[in-house]
């Protein structure tokens, strides 16, 4: 009972925000959903290329756990949107716009994962959860995650008593 009271004391009020604020949250979520797959693909392609591997459809499909036709369809979209180029009988390559997107996604992923690890989340769960959260976290929140990490969040969390 005491724990519930403490959580209730720190939880935000349960009233609806004004219309503008409310709709902005939903708009940002829809925008993030549209970008999730694109960001996942370009980040993975960048990772494969940076490890000295070719980014081939078969590799991308295996890493993302999808079929090769699914990858082919997405790669066509990425070519159209200007994020990748493809060469016959070779792999996939990022354009400067694609590399920029991959770098931003990787940066967000690393911050979110480090934040979750500092909270005490296991490495496996932090990696999995960061893969989802990275796409939805706003810039203000991400900046505060970084600030908390620089301020020794991990040490702070370790000093808290177990609940």
């Amino acid at each position: 009972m005491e724990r519930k009271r403490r959580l209730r004391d720190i939880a935000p009020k349960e009233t609806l925000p004004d219309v503008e604020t409310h709709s902005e949250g939903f708009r940002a979520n829809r925008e993030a959903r549209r970008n999730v797959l694109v960001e996942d693909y370009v980040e993975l392609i960048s990772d494969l290329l940076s490890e000295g591997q070719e980014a081939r459809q078969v590799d991308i499909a295996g890493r993302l756990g999808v079929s090769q036709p699914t990858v082919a369809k997405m790669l066509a979209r990425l070519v159209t949107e200007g994020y990748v180029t493809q060469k016959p009988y070779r792999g996939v390559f990022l354009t400067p716009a694609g590399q920029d997107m991959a770098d931003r996604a990787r940066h967000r992923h690393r911050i979110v994962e480090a934040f979750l690890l500092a909270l005490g989340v296991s490495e496996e769960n932090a990696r999995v959860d960061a893969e989802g959260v990275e796409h939805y976290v706003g810039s203000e929140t991400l900046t505060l995650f970084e600030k908390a990490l620089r301020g020794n969040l991990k040490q702070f969390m370790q000093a808290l008593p177990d609940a």
Side-chain angles (χ1 to χ4, degrees):
M1 182 69 168
E2 176 62 30
R3 180 168 183 203
K4 283 185 180 178
R5 224 175 298 141
R6 283 186 288 158
L7 289 177
R8 184 179 48 221
D9 292 341
I10 63 171
K13 286 182 166 181
E14 294 184 21
T15 60
L16 283 175
D18 64 88
V19 173
E20 279 298 313
T21 303
H22 208 188
S23 65
E24 177 59 22
F26 288 110
R27 188 208 56 75
N29 193 333
R30 284 190 304 275
E31 181 66 25
R33 267 193 309 232
R34 276 193 292 275
N35 291 327
V36 168
L37 285 176
V38 171
E39 290 177 350
D40 282 345
Y41 273 78
V42 297
E43 187 178 4
L44 176 59
I45 292 165
S46 176
D47 289 343
L48 290 169
L49 293 172
S50 69
E51 287 190 357
Q53 301 179 37
E54 278 197 52
R56 302 174 306 151
Q57 274 189 211
V58 65
D59 300 320
I60 296 167
R63 296 264 181 184
L64 293 176
V66 298
S67 69
Q68 285 193 52
T70 298
V71 172
K73 183 177 177 182
M74 177 56 82
L75 290 177
R77 175 181 170 189
L78 295 175
V79 167
T80 300
E81 293 183 11
Y83 296 119
V84 302
T85 59
Q86 289 182 282
K87 297 180 182 175
Y89 308 107
R90 301 257 341 261
V92 179
F93 302 91
L94 293 173
T95 64
Q99 188 61 57
D100 183 55
M101 178 183 278
D103 292 343
R104 286 191 322 261
R106 185 179 301 106
H107 179 72
R108 283 194 320 270
H109 182 99
R110 287 179 177 156
I111 292 168
V112 171
E113 188 172 342
F115 184 81
L116 295 174
L117 289 169
L119 290 177
V121 175
S122 69
E123 284 188 34
E124 181 180 330
N125 285 328
R127 187 174 302 115
V128 169
D129 290 346
E131 191 55 53
V133 173
E134 73 176 91
H135 301 288
Y136 295 92
V137 66
S139 59
E140 178 186 3
T141 303
L142 199 62
T143 298
L144 291 172
F145 280 7
E146 285 183 290
K147 183 177 180 179
L149 289 166
R150 284 192 310 274
N152 255 333
L153 175 65
K154 184 175 184 176
Q155 184 180 356
F156 171 78
M157 293 301 295
Q158 290 171 340
L160 291 175
D162 289 337

